[in-house]
Amino acid sequence: ANESQQTVVLHRRCGDAQVICLLNFSAEPQTATLPAQAAGWHKLLDSADVAWHGSGSDAPAHAPGETAVLVPPHSIVLYSN
């Protein structure tokens, strides 16, 4: 958790499977970093996506290893390996 940015990064593992949830509770976009991961990361959900009636997002659909992701205000972005 980063109190000054009002962000939380949850990282869960089960065997080789991993899930990362980037949460932004602030009114401003915030940067969160995905950890290094050999297979890279694939976005599962982005609450700011227009498909969910959000304002849109620049979070990448696929991210290599360690990557900084801009998380839109009041939203979550979920990635898996």
Side-chain angles (χ1 to χ4, degrees):
N2 184 322
E3 192 171 335
S4 66
Q5 286 186 311
Q6 298 179 337
T7 59
V8 175
V9 176
L10 299 174
H11 188 181
R12 297 292 178 251
R13 295 184 180 110
C14 182
D16 291 335
Q18 297 183 58
V19 175
I20 296 279
C21 186
L22 310 174
L23 300 101
N24 180 3
F25 295 98
S26 78
E28 299 296 326
Q30 299 294 336
T31 301
T33 302
L34 294 169
Q37 211 283 84
W41 298 100
H42 305 282
K43 184 166 62 172
L44 298 176
L45 173 74
D46 186 340
S47 67
D49 193 295
V50 293
W52 302 107
H53 302 286
S55 59
S57 173
D58 292 328
H62 301 284
E66 190 172 346
T67 303
V69 175
L70 188 63
V71 183
H74 305 292
S75 65
I76 70 165
V77 184
L78 183 66
Y79 284 92
S80 72
N81 63 341

